[in-house]
Amino acid sequence: MKTRRIAALAVLAGLGMSAAGCGQYAMLTARKNFKEANGLYTAQEYERAAAAYEETLVDPAALDAAPELSVAYFYLANSYDNMYRPTRRGEPDNDALLEKAVENYQLASERIVDNPDMQRLSMEYLVASYGPDKLNDPGQAEPIVRRMIELNPEEVSNYIALSRLYEDSGQYESAETILVNARSVRPDDPAIYLQMAAYYNRQGDFEQTIAALEERADIEPDNPEAYYTIATYYWEKAFRDFRLTDDEKEQHVADGIVAVDQALELKDDYMEAMVYKNILLRMQANATTNEAEQDALIAEADALRDRAEELRLEQQERAAATTGG
C-alpha cells in the first residue's frame, strides 16, 4: 500500500510539473505573439495585428501566468476599430469589425485589472463606439460612463461625457444636473465652468453662459484668457444674434470691451485680445452717430490692429529663428 501511495504522489507531482510546464509554455508563446502583434500594430497593419493579438489571448493559462498581457484585449479591439469604416456602415463585413471592437473593448474594461490607465482608456473607447458616427446608441454608453465616474469620481471629463450623452439624447435637465454635480466635486477646476458655459450657450441661455464664465474668472483672477473668453462670447452674441435690439447689442459690445480690457491689463501683449478689442471698437463705432466719438474709436481700433500685426510678425520671426528657417 505504501508503494502505491508513493507512486500516486509521484504521478500527481508529475502532473503538477506538466501543468506548470504547459502554463509556462503558453505564457512564452503569448509573449512572443504579443510582441509580434505590437510591431504590426505600430506599423498600422491592423488586420495582421488583430490575428496576432487573437493568438496572444487564445490560451487562458497564459493570462493566468502573465496577467499584464490582458492589455492585448484593448489593442485587439482597437485594431478592429481602425479597420472599421463609418462610410461603409451597413455592409456586413464592415459592421462585424465594429462588433468585434466593442466586444473586446468590453473584455478589456473587465479583465485589465492591474493597469488602471489602460482600463480607463478601454472604457473611453467603448463609450466612443456607441457614439453617433458608429453604433449611435447613447443608452449603451450611459452605464459605462457612470461606472467610470464610480471608479474615478474626481475626473471631470467623465461627468462632461455623461452630460453630453444626456444632452445629445434630449435629456437637458439631466445634462445640466450632471454638470452641476461635477462643479460640486471640483469647484476649483476651470474646465467645468467652460463646459457649463458651452452647454448653456447651446441651450440659448446667454445669462447663464456669462455667469459660468465669470465664475471661471473668479477662480482664475490672474488668467487673462479667462477674461478674453468672456469677451469672445459677448462679441459672438452681439454679432450673430439678429434678434437683439440695438440697445442690447450695444450693451454686449460694451461688456465685451470691459472684459477684454481686463485681459489686456493682465497681459499687455495679448495679441488675440487686441484683435477682438479692435473688432468690438469698430462695432461700437458703427453704433454711434457722434462723428468725433466714431473717429476716436476707429483710431483706437486701428492702433490695436497695427500692434497685433507687429506682435504676429515678431512671433513669426522668433519661430523662424528657433527652427533655423
Side-chain angles (χ1 to χ4, degrees):
M1 292 292 291
K2 183 176 181 181
T3 302
R4 289 181 181 176
R5 186 165 61 249
I6 292 172
L9 289 172
V11 170
L12 287 173
L15 289 172
M17 291 176 65
S18 175
C22 289
Q24 182 73 8
Y25 177 76
M27 180 191 70
L28 292 174
T29 302
R31 287 189 185 281
K32 177 179 177 294
N33 289 327
F34 186 58
K35 182 178 180 180
E36 179 187 353
N38 288 341
L40 293 166
Y41 180 88
T42 302
Q44 300 182 8
E45 295 186 41
Y46 296 118
E47 186 172 359
R48 293 176 63 199
Y53 285 124
E54 293 277 12
E55 288 296 319
T56 302
L57 298 164
V58 72
D59 192 339
L63 297 184
D64 291 339
E68 67 274 12
L69 290 175
S70 59
V71 297
Y73 283 111
F74 170 81
Y75 290 108
L76 174 59
N78 197 243
S79 295
Y80 285 126
D81 203 351
N82 278 298
M83 287 189 279
Y84 173 74
R85 295 291 177 266
T87 55
R88 292 172 51 200
R89 183 187 300 174
E91 297 180 21
D93 289 346
N94 185 61
D95 291 353
L97 294 171
L98 185 56
E99 291 170 8
K100 289 179 181 179
V102 168
E103 177 186 353
N104 285 286
Y105 282 137
Q106 182 67 50
L107 289 170
S109 70
E110 295 168 354
R111 299 186 183 183
I112 298 175
V113 295
D114 59 348
N115 191 330
D117 289 339
M118 288 302 296
Q119 183 187 46
R120 173 186 52 78
L121 193 64
S122 301
M123 297 175 85
E124 288 177 358
Y125 274 80
L126 182 56
V127 169
S129 297
Y130 291 113
D133 61 333
K134 292 186 178 177
L135 291 175
N136 194 24
D137 191 350
Q140 293 287 343
E142 179 195 358
I144 303 166
V145 182
R146 286 198 171 276
R147 176 62 178 154
M148 292 169 70
I149 291 173
E150 290 174 10
L151 290 171
N152 191 356
E154 297 293 313
E155 180 54 59
V156 165
S157 64
N158 294 333
Y159 293 90
I160 292 169
L162 183 57
S163 174
R164 196 59 192 255
L165 281 175
Y166 284 134
E167 184 182 353
D168 289 345
S169 60
Q171 301 178 62
Y172 302 115
E173 188 173 329
S174 295
E176 181 180 7
T177 298
I178 293 298
L179 291 174
V180 171
N181 290 344
R183 182 179 60 187
S184 67
V185 171
R186 292 288 299 276
D188 59 341
D189 191 332
I192 187 59
Y193 297 98
L194 286 169
Q195 291 296 326
M196 293 181 80
Y199 167 77
Y200 288 126
N201 201 47
R202 288 191 296 271
Q203 299 306 309
D205 191 337
F206 189 68
E207 185 176 344
Q208 288 273 54
T209 298
I210 294 299
L213 293 172
E214 289 177 342
E215 283 186 86
R216 182 264 181 113
D218 287 342
I219 65 171
E220 289 190 302
D222 297 325
N223 182 1
E225 193 269 336
Y227 300 101
Y228 163 77
T229 302
I230 293 173
T232 64
Y233 271 81
Y234 274 123
W235 167 80
E236 183 179 35
K237 183 69 172 175
F239 184 72
R240 300 190 187 282
D241 192 344
F242 298 105
R243 299 168 299 176
L244 296 176
T245 65
D246 288 343
D247 287 345
E248 288 172 331
K249 184 175 180 178
E250 287 177 28
Q251 186 60 55
H252 288 323
V253 169
D255 290 338
I257 291 173
V258 170
V260 81
D261 278 342
Q262 289 175 287
L264 288 167
E265 186 176 336
L266 290 167
K267 181 177 170 59
D268 62 5
D269 62 347
Y270 197 162
M271 181 180 68
E272 293 82 1
M274 292 178 187
V275 170
Y276 265 90
K277 185 175 181 182
N278 156 52
I279 296 170
L280 288 165
L281 287 171
R282 293 183 192 281
M283 293 176 72
Q284 202 170 51
N286 288 337
T288 183
T289 56
N290 184 309
E291 190 172 337
E293 182 181 351
Q294 190 177 68
D295 289 343
L297 290 168
I298 291 174
E300 185 180 357
D302 286 344
L304 284 164
R305 179 199 60 203
D306 294 344
R307 177 58 180 149
E309 179 63 12
E310 288 176 11
L311 289 169
R312 186 185 69 81
L313 292 173
E314 288 173 10
Q315 286 183 3
Q316 284 185 343
E317 289 172 3
R318 285 196 297 268
T322 301
T323 58

